Amino acid sequence: MSLSAKKILFVAEAVSLAHVARPALLAGSLLGDCEPVFASNGQYAIASQGLPLQSYALQSLSPETFMQRLAVGRPVYTLDELRAYVEADERMLRELRPDVVVSDFRLTLPIAAARQGVPLMSLSNAYWSPYARQAPDLAPDLPPARLLGHKLFDPLFRLSWPLASRHHLSVPNRLRVEQGLPPLASLGDYYCGGDVVMYADTPSLVPCHPLPPSHHFLGPLTWSPSLPLPLWWDKVTAQQHRTRVYINLGSTGSTVLLPALVAACRALGWVCIVATAGRMDFAAAEPDVFVSSYLPGSAAAAAADVVICNGGSPSSYQALEQGRPVLGICSNLDQVLAMRGVRDQGAGVLLRAGECSPARLAQALVQVSGDACRQNAVRLQQEFRAYPATRRFRELLLSTLGTGHPSSVS
């Protein structure tokens, strides 16, 4: 089957850079072959900058509200917000009439797409899958964890997780009951709804029980902005005899830790390459600290020996794609779950933001720069090459277009 004359709608729930960058990557891979349409609210426009995509304005929760609710453990969306989302989603599908819709974290689209008879392909991470073998076992950086300490709070978190997950499902399940649909059994069913579910991971990072035919490991989707290298780049690459570290806390990391991270790296004599994602003013006070708002992340990771990030899958997988070990400074649960897989594969070190004392940072930096982490990162780099995400996406898209009939909402 050919993609020509097909309209593929990509929907980005723009609450973080990752949820915009991943569908933008996939949409860009189809340019010249079909009519990709990109629906978002314009937030994180840098992710689709330079791509000649037809656009559709679709409102999303603001990243600030999203992060505030995550930080205190509240359900991310209110019932009124979800009702409005369903209406907006159905209106969009009626107006655009796509052949297939590809969604990243637009959690109401399983309802709207089924009603409008449009096949839905959903992007997610396998650590949220209902088929993931490991349940969450480490707490994110919630206020109780900062009060009690993670060592005390982690077992309480494990005990309370079933209740907490039901709490986060309470609002979407109220919506489903209103819509005449059965409630969902788990957060995994909520985050991984769709006719085709695509995991932006590889199997060794997230071990799963046998997956049904509609669930697939797509492979990492790593995005890097198309930017010129900064004027200081040659000064960094010339220092090959010294350890170089790329520090990028992204759109959702704890930026207040950036000065401490740089200080800890400089105490070891490392050269620091820093990207702030435009979230803070950070002036380089030392000659071996090089700072930009944004950098071509793949090139920066390749130039470094170690990558420090927020632990989320886009940043940590970008490092592993270059064979670089990762120190993940995690704040929310998504970051903890992503970084857990990297840690378990021996390719990185996981710290919660509240655990970053000078002593813990120093210990983590020594560990992550060691031979074991480096060798395991190179091993994962080889696995990543066996999962070319855009090519696998094209194969799944052609298969979905050939089937042509979405399953019912369940």
Side-chain angles (χ1 to χ4, degrees):
M1 171 173 289
S2 171
L3 288 174
S4 61
K6 299 296 183 182
K7 181 184 287 187
I8 313 301
L9 171 62
F10 293 83
V11 181
E13 174 67 350
V15 292
S16 75
L17 176 58
H19 295 310
V20 181
R22 295 192 304 193
L25 269 173
L26 295 181
S29 74
L30 299 183
L31 284 169
D33 295 328
C34 66
E35 184 185 354
V37 182
F38 195 73
S40 185
N41 69 355
Q43 188 82 29
Y44 305 114
I46 191 172
S48 57
Q49 191 173 17
L51 295 176
L53 298 171
Q54 179 184 338
S55 62
Y56 182 91
L58 184 67
Q59 284 304 306
S60 296
L61 196 67
S62 75
E64 294 77 17
T65 300
F66 178 79
M67 293 303 298
Q68 287 167 4
R69 293 175 182 174
L70 275 184
V72 295
R74 288 177 54 192
V76 173
Y77 299 100
T78 67
L79 184 57
D80 285 342
E81 288 164 348
L82 290 180
R83 288 171 180 149
Y85 269 39
V86 172
E87 292 180 9
D89 292 350
E90 291 203 60
R91 182 167 57 250
M92 172 181 63
L93 296 177
R94 287 193 301 268
E95 291 176 8
L96 295 176
R97 301 180 63 82
D99 294 285
V100 172
V101 58
V102 181
S103 168
D104 196 323
F105 205 68
R106 187 75 174 188
L107 300 175
T108 47
L109 266 174
I111 297 173
R115 283 184 172 168
Q116 296 300 315
V118 182
L120 172 63
M121 303 176 72
S122 293
L123 277 167
S124 188
N125 286 100
Y127 44 79
W128 288 116
S129 171
Y131 304 99
R133 291 188 179 178
Q134 284 184 286
D137 60 346
L138 297 175
D141 206 45
L142 294 171
R146 293 192 291 271
L147 180 66
L148 298 174
H150 284 281
K151 186 174 182 179
L152 288 176
F153 186 65
D154 281 342
L156 297 176
F157 175 80
R158 287 191 287 272
L159 287 172
S160 64
W161 174 246
L163 180 62
S165 59
R166 286 197 295 272
H167 173 60
H168 282 280
L169 266 180
S170 61
V171 177
N173 274 341
R174 285 176 62 192
L175 174 74
R176 290 179 64 86
V177 170
E178 284 186 2
Q179 304 284 334
L181 299 169
L184 298 171
S186 71
L187 277 179
D189 295 313
Y190 183 42
Y191 289 149
C192 302
D195 303 295
V196 177
V197 180
M198 303 175 294
Y199 298 127
D201 314 274
T202 58
S204 69
L205 284 168
V206 190
C208 288
H209 299 290
L211 297 175
S214 59
H215 288 234
H216 305 267
F217 278 99
L218 191 66
L221 283 165
T222 55
W223 170 82
S224 186
S226 299
L227 296 172
L229 293 170
L231 296 176
W232 44 256
W233 190 255
D234 289 344
K235 295 180 181 178
V236 172
T237 55
Q239 302 189 64
Q240 297 188 17
H241 61 290
R242 300 174 62 189
T243 298
R244 293 171 295 193
V245 57
Y246 173 41
I247 306 174
N248 176 17
L249 298 177
S251 66
T252 56
S254 179
T255 56
V256 297
L257 290 174
L258 184 55
L261 291 172
V262 170
C265 293
R266 290 296 298 124
L268 294 172
W270 293 5
V271 177
C272 297
I273 309 165
V274 180
T276 66
R279 295 177 60 208
M280 67 179 297
D281 292 325
F282 183 78
E286 298 185 61
D288 291 330
V289 180
F290 301 89
V291 183
S292 287
S293 292
Y294 289 95
L295 288 169
S298 294
D305 301 288
V306 171
V307 172
I308 300 177
C309 64
N310 62 25
S313 59
S315 298
S316 57
Y317 292 1
Q318 185 176 70
L320 295 174
E321 190 174 55
Q322 303 300 325
R324 302 300 187 259
V326 184
L327 170 57
I329 309 295
C330 306
S331 297
N332 63 48
L333 184 56
D334 186 86
Q335 294 162 357
V336 170
L337 293 175
M339 196 61 209
R340 180 179 64 178
V342 177
R343 179 205 63 187
D344 290 351
Q345 286 296 309
V349 177
L350 186 164
L351 287 178
R352 272 74 61 95
E355 296 177 303
C356 289
S357 66
R360 291 292 296 275
L361 275 178
Q363 180 184 30
L365 291 173
V366 170
Q367 181 181 348
V368 78
S369 60
D371 288 343
C373 278
R374 179 180 53 80
Q375 291 166 4
N376 286 319
V378 171
R379 175 177 54 80
L380 286 175
Q381 180 187 36
Q382 299 306 311
E383 181 179 358
F384 280 23
R385 290 174 178 170
Y387 283 83
T390 55
R391 189 178 78 194
R392 293 168 70 84
F393 166 69
R394 180 181 291 264
E395 293 169 356
L396 288 171
L397 176 61
L398 288 169
S399 175
T400 303
L401 286 166
T403 305
H405 296 289
S407 60
S408 60
V409 176
S410 60

